[in-house]
Every structure is written in structure tokens, then in C-alpha cells.
Amino acid sequence: MNTERKSRLSINGVATVDGGRYQEVKIAGQGTINEDLDTIQLTVNGHMEGLGDITTESMTVNGRLVTKRDLSAKKAQVNGLVKAWGDLQVPQLRIHGEVAGKKNLTSESIHIYGSLKLDGDCNTDSFTGKAQFQIDGLLNADQIDISLYGSSAAKEIGGEKIIIKKGNKWNKFLPWLQSDLKVECIEGDYIELENTQAKIVRGKQIIIGKDCTIDRIEYQDSYTAHTDSKVGEAIKV
């Protein structure tokens, strides 16, 4: 079996290839990869469809990438659209466009100036940015610091330090736009929230800012709530 990498695969028009191992893959036109692809550098400026697993060290997507199976990249910059039917493993992920996944996303650092949609869970060390996100499972991160731009949702959110606030920029130019978060449960050490609807919030230090609706709060050390927010009950545990 030949495991050596070919130097380069470049698609500028419309083409279908079998995959393989490469130093560099560039898609400027419309390309379909029928089998597994393993490349050091992947750049998509056009449209790419992957029918097998995709493995790369560095990935930049300025166009559209759709993969039917798993996607693994040590670092990725998404300025366009990435859709994955399998699991996503991206230790260093920057989103300035949209990432949508049918399964789980595993990372170390996720920085978003765009949109993230997952049918599964999101596990990372850091989750920051100005974003709209829809996570049907668990969002789990040590550090969460998000400004909301658009309606967001998650089933559960867990972490050490969780800060979720309403974004300010769109308030001036698009005052009709909803910027809020709906979640069943939030659990962490330090929690600071704005524009959040939650059934239960558990933590050591909890600060409830403007425009929140929380059914139940369980806190260990301290708890405060803005007068504009509604809290069903707050219990020290």
C-alpha cells in the first residue's frame, strides 16, 4: 500500500476524484471527493463535497464544504459554510461564517463571529465570540464568554466561568432583531447572564442581568438579580 503523499490536488472547474493523501488540496471550482481525504493543507474557495472522512492539519473554507462523514482538522478558519454529517474534531476553530453538524463537535478553542448549529454536543475548553448558536445537546466548556447576536438555544450549558450577554452592535441598526438564549439548565462556578430563559441555573456565584426569566436558581455563595428579570425561586444550597 502506498502511503506517500502526493504533492498537490487542485480543482478549478468541475471534477470528481477518488481522494488519497496530499500535501495540499485547493478547490476553486466544484469538486467531489469520493473516498477518504488526508491532506496537510485544505483550502476551499468554491464548493467541495466529501463522501469519505476528511483529515487535515490546516483548513480554510471561504466557499462551501459539505462532508457526509467525519471531519478532523487541527485548526480551521471558516469564512463560508461547513456542513458535516459526521463528528467534527477541530482543536482550534474560528468561525466567521457558519458551521452546521449532525453529530458532535470536539475542540479546545472555539471563537465565533457567525453561527454554529449542532444536533449533538459541543465540548471545548474555550467558547467565545459574538454569535448565534443552536446546540441540541450539551454545550460544555471551561470558559464561556458570548455576546448574543440573534436567537440562540442549547439543551444544557456547563462550565467553570459562564458569561452570556446581549450583543450591542445590532441594537442600534436592527432594533427588531431578537438576541436571546433559551436553555433548560445552566450549571457552573461563576455565572453571569442577560437575555436568557432557563428552567434552572446552578452555581457558586450567580449574577442575573437584564431581561432574564429563570424558573429556579440554586446558588452556593452569592446571587443577585436585576429588577427587569423574573426569577421564580432562588435557594441557597
Side-chain angles (χ1 to χ4, degrees), residues 192-195 207-212 224-230:
E192 186 174 351
L193 304 174
E194 290 181 357
N195 285 67
I207 300 172
I208 304 299
K210 291 182 177 182
D211 299 321
C212 291
T224 60
H226 196 279
T227 55
D228 288 344
S229 290
K230 298 179 181 178

Side-chain angles (χ1 to χ4, degrees), residues 2 8 10 13 36 54 61 96 112 132 146 151 175 189 191 209 222:
N2 185 8
R8 182 175 180 180
S10 181
D36 293 349
I54 298 175
V61 177
H96 286 253
I112 311 176
Q132 179 182 27
I146 289 290
S151 294
D189 293 335
I191 301 172
S222 63

Side-chain angles (χ1 to χ4, degrees), residues 1-8 19-23 38:
M1 180 178 178
N2 185 8
T3 60
E4 292 185 2
R5 291 185 183 274
K6 300 175 184 179
S7 61
R8 182 175 180 180
R21 291 167 52 84
Y22 294 89
Q23 296 285 341
D38 185 337

Side-chain angles (χ1 to χ4, degrees), residues 38-160:
D38 185 337
T39 179
I40 293 175
Q41 173 69 46
L42 174 62
T43 304
V44 180
N45 296 318
H47 176 92
M48 174 181 166
E49 182 177 15
L51 304 182
D53 293 338
I54 298 175
T55 303
T56 181
E57 293 186 12
S58 179
M59 180 178 79
T60 301
V61 177
N62 300 313
R64 178 184 175 96
L65 168 61
V66 178
T67 174
K68 300 295 185 181
R69 295 182 62 181
D70 295 345
L71 170 61
S72 176
K74 289 183 178 179
K75 62 178 181 179
Q77 173 81 36
V78 179
N79 304 315
L81 172 64
V82 171
K83 285 189 174 183
W85 292 80
D87 288 322
L88 289 156
Q89 295 187 4
V90 189
Q92 303 294 323
L93 175 59
R94 296 182 65 88
I95 303 172
H96 286 253
E98 180 181 344
V99 172
K102 292 289 186 181
K103 293 187 178 180
N104 302 317
L105 168 58
T106 303
S107 181
E108 295 173 4
S109 174
I110 300 174
H111 191 69
I112 311 176
Y113 278 86
S115 173
L116 173 65
K117 298 178 181 179
L118 293 174
D119 290 354
D121 299 333
C122 178
N123 290 284
T124 182
D125 295 334
S126 174
F127 188 83
T128 63
K130 300 178 179 180
Q132 179 182 27
F133 61 91
Q134 177 80 41
I135 298 171
D136 291 349
L138 168 68
L139 168 57
N140 181 49
D142 292 339
Q143 304 290 325
I144 298 174
D145 191 347
I146 289 290
S147 295
L148 298 170
Y149 285 83
S151 294
S152 296
K155 185 176 181 180
E156 297 180 47
I157 296 177
E160 293 181 4

